[in-house]
Amino acid sequence: MSNLRIAVQKSGRLNEDSMNILKDIGISIDNGKDQLKAAARNFPVEVFYLRNGDIPQYLRDGVVDAAIIGENILIEKGSDLAFIERLGFSKCKVSIAVPKESKANSLKDLDGKRIATSYPETVRKYLKEYNLDAQLHIINGSVEIAPNIGLADGICDIVSSGSTLFKNGLKEIEVLLKSEAVLAVSPQISKERKAILDKIQFRIQSVLKGRESKYVLLNAPNNKLDKILSLLPGMRSPTVLPLAEKGWSSVHTVVTKNKFWDIIEDLKANGAEGILVCPIEKMVL
């Protein structure tokens, strides 16, 4: 069986998050410093370490079969390429920002102005959508300094925490798009390698579902069990086991991470005790 060739960013946070999820799905990779390619020890996969902006062309040409890449890069340089899974990490925004003293409050306010950006195709798309015009200065590097040196009236760049904008005296006025890491696929992938990618996608989905959920165990008095069970979601239904103490049961279920605090408050109010909340490493449905 030939190896699946998957590209990841050569360095930076996206590289770390990508390698972490491959580790979480059981793929062991020995990658040394400055290594451009590494094979997994226990799975038919080779990892290529590439510049983020180069990955769409490698996918298009079939040099790699799949890639973990920022959706913002895919939109900018690979709009013809498909992705098959959102990965939930390396989240950011592509935003318009201007100097704090500027009166501009949206992209429309930069009509006829100068915009510095590393994302010219993304900006052109939005300018065309709103029938606006602007002079684009394409910069590969520190876009944030452009207004301060008189090169542009505003910028379009990725924003994570906003600290870089703050340090450069800029304010965000419009979000063009929100981005996260995605699993993209080459249009030239073979059937054999697509089967390997399907296995990887299945494992990734199991890890992501686990990250989004909590395993909840609690003790409930039997006379309030029906009410407590009505509060609990579950993959099918909660598991109920009798306790050694007569009149009590142990209840086990899975709750989504963004809901469990509200649910736990309701459970306590209805007599649940000894509530234990545990992380889930993987969840296979």
Side-chain angles (χ1 to χ4, degrees), residues 122-193:
T122 301
V123 178
R124 287 190 186 107
K125 173 186 173 183
Y126 281 88
L127 289 171
K128 183 178 180 180
E129 182 178 343
Y130 293 104
N131 196 28
L132 303 174
D133 187 31
Q135 180 183 349
L136 299 188
H137 291 277
I138 301 171
I139 298 176
N140 294 316
S142 301
V143 177
E144 296 85 0
I145 67 170
N148 292 331
I149 61 176
L151 183 63
D153 301 293
I155 68 164
C156 178
D157 201 15
I158 58 170
V159 176
S160 296
S161 66
S163 60
T164 303
L165 294 182
F166 179 79
K167 290 176 184 176
N168 286 275
L170 301 174
K171 62 180 181 180
E172 180 183 75
I173 59 170
E174 188 160 335
V175 177
L176 299 189
L177 61 92
K178 294 183 179 180
S179 173
E180 63 184 279
V182 296
L183 181 62
V185 60
S186 168
Q188 300 192 44
I189 190 171
S190 68
K191 182 181 290 188
E192 183 182 31
R193 288 174 175 167

Side-chain angles (χ1 to χ4, degrees), residues 11-240:
S11 60
R13 182 180 172 186
L14 182 53
N15 169 273
E16 294 174 9
D17 290 338
S18 300
M19 299 312 294
N20 284 338
I21 199 164
L22 291 176
K23 181 180 177 182
D24 288 344
I25 65 173
I27 296 178
S28 301
I29 299 165
D30 294 323
N31 57 311
K33 188 178 180 181
D34 298 327
Q35 201 169 354
L36 297 179
K37 185 174 73 170
R41 297 196 306 268
N42 59 346
F43 201 82
V45 165
E46 286 181 308
V47 177
F48 287 64
Y49 302 95
L50 305 173
R51 287 180 65 250
N52 211 25
D54 294 338
I55 291 176
Q57 191 60 51
Y58 281 97
L59 284 167
R60 196 175 288 114
D61 293 341
V63 176
V64 295
D65 305 300
I68 297 175
I69 184 173
E71 186 182 3
N72 57 305
I73 296 296
L74 211 57
I75 291 171
E76 175 67 24
K77 296 188 174 184
S79 58
D80 56 319
L81 300 168
F83 67 85
I84 57 174
E85 195 72 43
R86 293 185 179 275
L87 301 178
F89 55 78
S90 295
K91 294 184 177 182
C92 65
K93 300 174 288 184
V94 176
S95 299
I96 300 291
V98 296
K100 289 181 179 178
E101 64 274 11
S102 173
K103 295 181 180 179
N105 292 307
S106 70
L107 179 60
K108 293 180 180 180
D109 294 328
L110 294 179
D111 188 23
K113 304 293 186 179
R114 302 165 300 166
I115 301 175
T117 184
S118 301
Y119 296 88
E121 295 305 317
T122 301
V123 178
R124 287 190 186 107
K125 173 186 173 183
Y126 281 88
L127 289 171
K128 183 178 180 180
E129 182 178 343
Y130 293 104
N131 196 28
L132 303 174
D133 187 31
Q135 180 183 349
L136 299 188
H137 291 277
I138 301 171
I139 298 176
N140 294 316
S142 301
V143 177
E144 296 85 0
I145 67 170
N148 292 331
I149 61 176
L151 183 63
D153 301 293
I155 68 164
C156 178
D157 201 15
I158 58 170
V159 176
S160 296
S161 66
S163 60
T164 303
L165 294 182
F166 179 79
K167 290 176 184 176
N168 286 275
L170 301 174
K171 62 180 181 180
E172 180 183 75
I173 59 170
E174 188 160 335
V175 177
L176 299 189
L177 61 92
K178 294 183 179 180
S179 173
E180 63 184 279
V182 296
L183 181 62
V185 60
S186 168
Q188 300 192 44
I189 190 171
S190 68
K191 182 181 290 188
E192 183 182 31
R193 288 174 175 167
K194 181 61 167 61
I196 300 171
L197 183 60
D198 289 343
K199 292 180 180 179
I200 288 177
Q201 185 181 9
F202 170 75
R203 293 188 184 190
I204 287 174
Q205 288 173 343
S206 298
V207 169
L208 295 180
K209 286 171 185 172
R211 290 178 181 177
E212 294 168 359
S213 305
K214 298 289 184 181
Y215 189 69
V216 177
L217 304 88
L218 59 90
N219 297 329
N222 289 345
N223 62 349
K224 296 184 178 180
L225 193 55
D226 288 343
K227 177 59 178 177
I228 287 172
L229 293 179
S230 71
L231 298 171
L232 291 171
M235 290 177 287
R236 284 191 182 273
S237 64
T239 300
V240 180

